[in-house]
Amino acid sequence: MRYPLFLFVFVFVIPPFAVHALLTGKAVIDSKPVASTTLSATPEHTHHWRVAAVR
Amino acid sequence: MSSSSSPAAEASGTHQYWSVDSAPAKLTQPLSIWAAPAVLALFTGVSVLLLLMVNVVPEFASVFPNRDIVFSPYSGTHSVPLRIFIVSFYIAFAVVVGAGALKRAKFLGELIVTYALLCGAFDLINILAYRSLGLLYSLDVVEILSGLIGFFVFSLKLLDHGSMPARVTVPERRLARRAGWFPLLVALAGAIGTSVAVDSLDLPLISDLRNVALLGGTGPGVFLFLPALFFILYVWGTVQALLRPPGHFAPPVTVIVPAHNEAHVIARTLAAIDGAAEKYDGTVRVIVLNNNSTDDTVAVAERSLATLAHATGRVLDVPTPGKAVALNRGVDEIETEFMIRIDADTQVLPDAIARAMRHFSAPATGVVGGVPLPPGTGPFDRSRLLEVLLKHGYYQVAYGAIDGIVGVPGMFAAYRTEAVRQAGGFVQGMNGEDTDVSLRIGEMGYRIVGDPGVQYVSEVPATYHHLREQRMRWFRSVYHVSARNRSYLDDWRPSLRGKVILPFMLLNSARRAMTVPLVIFGAMHLGLSLDPTTPLTGQAVLAVLLGAPALMGVIAALANGHVKAVLYLPEYVLFRLVRAYLTLESVLSIAFDSEQRPAR
């Protein structure tokens, strides 16, 4: 396995998808990122990673 | 030469389709008709177990609250837990594939470790992005990406572990590289812009699509991305063709016709070549390459050649079995600067030769292909029509816009003879010798042209057995060609075919192999009703079944003037499912001997 093979995934699959998701609101930047300590202390995040639905 | 299933099955009066090229020795293994059903059964069992684990077993459910093997924060929910799907398929495939226990375990181990590393890295990046920027992705987007990564990893590991032709040195570049990357990037940006613009339209239809249908809630934006990309490239390619019409060019050309037991059709094929020669201003010489025929191919061909009015020809005996053997013998005999290969079961339309040869007025043109129309009389012909309009009348034009055409089908292909010789001729002992030679010619810097106006009628299998033989051969070829020319994929040269088109074809091949399991998985996920937060599984399964290609099939039919072909869409959707099943069988038929075999 040589690395250039993975260029396809990391250059031509993931970035366009990521940009597309950002532009269509499938990804958002939370204005107040949750600090790691806060995250683990929040009951909502204590048991799992699912956070409030954005769409 | 045509080839097929159990020869006995064809004892019903039609010709035999099985030949030495049907299953190249050392690279393939006999495949039981029960192998694919075994994969599907095992896959069903494994996936049910994994689904139950993450949904019902409290210890796992608490670790995987997204009801899939996902480790980072995402918003929303998914339609189908694709990571569980991918892992289940890996396990089922590795258990059934014909290899020793140790090799199967190693194959499975590498599949899962590579997939876990890629998904893990992806999750880690998302965790970091969330903590540092607050960037949060929707889970369904991440699931789709996980599926694409899973498809790609499967094909790469199959290349590594399956018996493949050995890597060979690729020929040197002879012409300057053309700028294919720029139009690709522009088209990518255009596709993103188009799909985002449609997605943001405030129309009730768009809202419905976004919420309840097509890819289970990812909305028309994601659904439209690939169709928009190909449409932009198709328009670009068509405009290029209109702006740069090839001039009149009619040099002498030699047509080689490899023939193995083609007595039933060779007369029609030669008559069609004569008809095309009548419309061609240059001289046309024909060489029928009799390849180990046991029927009356030679006698029928000699009689037919004697009646030709506009072309001259002869029969050359090539006793060693193998289409590529015959083709290379034919190339040795050619004295003209240009050559055409035509399958013995293919009838060119009257202006095919004249139209194809015009493209060689450009000195950089190396290969020209066209559209293989079905005869229209068989059970699969209607579906095949939509398939060829999409693949050869639409995708080829789109790929041509970025100088990214990989394969020109050997049914009819015109070549600059010297380019074929520089590329090393036609490879023997593997599937896809036509794709191999055109790929290498393209990577030498010659332009490959796909002209939808160059048309010919080519045989379509009339039985399921024949279809199975044909498709297993075709679907293996992407792996054989990629393995042999692996340098294009994994060295550092900026090869658009090697870094984008071939990887996309490999990903797509794995996607096709997993389509039937995905339909089963979606139906099961829906039936088990394990996750009340994912109400869109049914729509997601429907989207996989119909998919973007169905939409593009309609565009391709209309763009090529075959309006009636739109009516064949329901048949084509079913045909695609059969094709997907045959892709699964095809990858199962790849041998698992670790030693790489040199293709000659």
Side-chain angles (χ1 to χ4, degrees):
Chain A
M1 187 71 63
R2 296 190 189 180
Y3 298 115
L5 261 175
F6 287 101
L7 281 177
F8 175 67
V9 166
F10 288 110
V11 176
F12 289 98
V13 176
I14 293 177
F17 243 89
V19 171
H20 189 277
L22 269 170
L23 293 175
T24 53
K26 291 291 172 185
V28 293
I29 295 179
D30 189 341
S31 57
K32 293 177 183 172
V34 185
S36 58
T37 48
T38 314
L39 187 69
S40 57
T42 307
E44 186 185 356
H45 298 100
T46 303
H47 301 297
H48 56 73
W49 280 100
R50 182 173 293 162
V51 296
V54 170
R55 53 179 153 162
Chain B
M1 288 190 298
S2 53
S3 43
S4 155
S5 96
S6 131
E10 291 302 293
S12 56
T14 54
H15 64 289
Q16 291 188 356
Y17 48 78
W18 190 268
S19 73
V20 292
D21 298 309
S22 296
K26 310 291 185 187
L27 302 184
T28 58
Q29 56 188 338
L31 183 72
S32 161
I33 58 165
W34 297 108
V39 170
L40 296 178
L42 197 59
F43 161 79
T44 306
V46 173
S47 53
V48 165
L49 272 178
L50 290 177
L51 282 173
L52 288 175
M53 269 172 59
V54 298
N55 282 281
V56 177
V57 180
E59 291 77 12
F60 288 103
S62 63
V63 177
F64 302 111
N66 289 310
R67 298 162 196 261
D68 195 3
I69 311 166
V70 178
F71 296 96
S72 61
Y74 300 113
S75 65
T77 183
H78 56 63
S79 303
V80 178
L82 276 173
R83 291 188 182 178
I84 286 180
F85 163 77
I86 293 286
V87 170
S88 303
F89 180 82
Y90 286 173
I91 293 170
F93 185 88
V95 168
V96 174
V97 76
L102 198 62
K103 279 181 183 163
R104 281 184 282 148
K106 197 173 169 215
F107 176 56
L108 178 60
E110 279 198 27
L111 276 174
I112 290 183
V113 167
T114 309
Y115 187 54
L117 282 176
L118 286 172
C119 288
F122 187 60
D123 285 357
L124 187 62
I125 292 168
N126 279 299
I127 291 171
L128 294 174
Y130 179 66
R131 289 195 188 280
S132 58
L133 303 170
L135 184 67
L136 196 61
Y137 274 95
S138 170
L139 183 58
D140 47 21
V141 170
V142 173
E143 289 285 0
I144 291 174
L145 272 173
S146 300
L148 296 177
I149 292 171
F151 299 152
F152 190 58
V153 167
F154 177 76
S155 276
L156 291 193
K157 290 300 162 189
L158 201 54
L159 276 179
D160 282 348
H161 289 260
S163 297
M164 296 288 158
R167 176 200 296 263
V168 293
T169 306
V170 295
E172 291 294 314
R173 193 161 191 94
R174 298 187 182 252
L175 301 175
R177 194 177 294 279
R178 278 177 295 281
W181 290 96
F182 176 69
L184 175 64
L185 294 175
V186 171
L188 274 173
I192 290 175
T194 305
S195 52
V196 168
V198 171
D199 192 52
S200 60
L201 288 176
D202 191 19
L203 295 173
L205 172 66
I206 302 297
S207 176
D208 290 346
L209 287 172
R210 188 181 297 119
N211 291 320
V212 298
L214 298 176
L215 284 180
T218 55
V222 169
F223 179 76
L224 274 178
F225 175 72
L226 270 185
L229 178 65
F230 277 103
F231 184 73
I232 290 169
L233 291 176
Y234 173 79
V235 171
W236 196 318
T238 304
V239 169
Q240 276 181 357
L242 291 173
L243 292 179
R244 290 186 308 203
H248 179 266
F249 191 65
V253 63
T254 304
V255 179
I256 55 174
V257 185
H260 168 71
N261 290 340
E262 306 285 2
H264 64 290
V265 71
I266 191 76
R268 264 193 295 143
T269 301
L270 293 173
I273 293 172
D274 198 42
E278 183 182 0
K279 290 208 164 191
Y280 184 59
D281 292 337
T283 57
V284 177
R285 297 170 207 166
V286 183
I287 304 176
V288 175
L289 304 157
N290 172 50
N291 190 216
N292 203 34
S293 295
T294 53
D295 64 359
D296 292 333
T297 297
V298 172
V300 175
E302 283 177 342
R303 276 201 303 274
S304 302
L305 286 170
T307 65
L308 301 188
H310 307 283
T312 56
R314 63 192 167 104
V315 177
L316 183 67
D317 197 40
V318 187
T320 307
K323 183 188 255 185
V325 179
L327 287 168
N328 287 329
R329 182 74 179 84
V331 172
D332 288 343
E333 293 288 316
I334 291 173
E335 295 172 349
T336 52
E337 196 180 342
F338 301 95
M339 58 173 276
I340 296 175
R341 61 171 287 190
I342 296 178
D343 274 359
D345 57 8
T346 297
Q347 290 83 48
V348 291
L349 296 194
D351 61 353
I353 292 179
R355 186 160 179 141
M357 294 307 296
R358 292 182 317 159
H359 292 284
F360 289 104
S361 61
T365 301
V367 191
V368 179
V371 177
L373 297 171
T377 52
F380 303 115
D381 286 27
R382 289 180 296 277
S383 304
R384 173 67 178 156
L385 177 61
L386 264 179
E387 184 183 51
V388 299
L389 291 176
L390 186 57
K391 186 172 180 188
H392 302 287
Y394 191 72
Y395 289 155
Q396 283 291 61
V397 178
Y399 284 133
I402 51 174
D403 197 27
I405 295 177
V406 170
V408 170
M411 293 168 267
F412 175 96
Y415 303 95
R416 193 175 290 276
T417 311
E418 188 57 24
V420 174
R421 291 183 177 133
Q422 288 166 350
F426 297 93
V427 61
Q428 303 162 26
M430 61 174 244
N431 294 125
E433 92 292 333
D434 47 1
T435 304
D436 176 84
V437 77
S438 56
L439 167 67
R440 292 157 76 83
I441 290 173
E443 285 301 290
M444 285 193 298
Y446 291 101
R447 181 177 286 279
I448 304 177
V449 177
D451 182 349
V454 176
Q455 299 187 340
Y456 47 95
V457 177
S458 193
E459 184 189 57
V460 177
T463 63
Y464 176 75
H465 289 295
H466 188 178
L467 183 73
R468 181 174 185 258
E469 182 274 343
Q470 181 195 62
R471 296 305 166 126
M472 284 172 66
R473 197 159 32 90
W474 286 4
F475 297 149
R476 272 193 306 260
S477 68
V478 65
Y479 292 100
H480 288 178
V481 171
S482 297
R484 182 168 189 264
N485 299 285
R486 205 158 167 161
S487 298
Y488 295 135
L489 284 96
D490 64 11
D491 70 9
W492 289 100
R493 85 185 75 195
S495 158
L496 195 140
R497 290 184 185 84
K499 301 301 181 291
V500 180
I501 313 293
L502 271 174
F504 177 71
M505 289 167 70
L506 287 168
L507 183 153
N508 201 36
S509 183
R511 193 268 309 157
R512 266 208 315 267
M514 295 190 211
T515 295
V516 175
L518 187 54
V519 171
I520 293 172
F521 187 75
M524 203 165 53
H525 190 240
L526 192 65
L528 289 174
S529 299
L530 291 168
D531 188 354
T533 64
T534 60
L536 298 169
T537 302
Q539 287 89 340
V541 173
L542 190 66
V544 168
L545 270 176
L546 296 174
L551 174 65
M552 288 193 275
V554 173
I555 299 172
L558 297 177
N560 284 276
H562 287 260
V563 179
K564 197 178 166 190
V566 175
L567 299 174
Y568 308 150
L569 202 60
E571 255 177 282
Y572 177 59
V573 168
L574 289 176
F575 181 76
R576 284 170 55 83
L577 207 55
V578 173
R579 202 175 65 168
Y581 181 79
L582 294 177
T583 310
L584 176 59
E585 286 205 294
S586 177
V587 290
L588 280 166
S589 73
I590 291 173
F592 261 62
D593 180 348
S594 56
E595 185 188 346
Q596 292 205 313
R597 306 288 175 172
R600 298 175 295 279

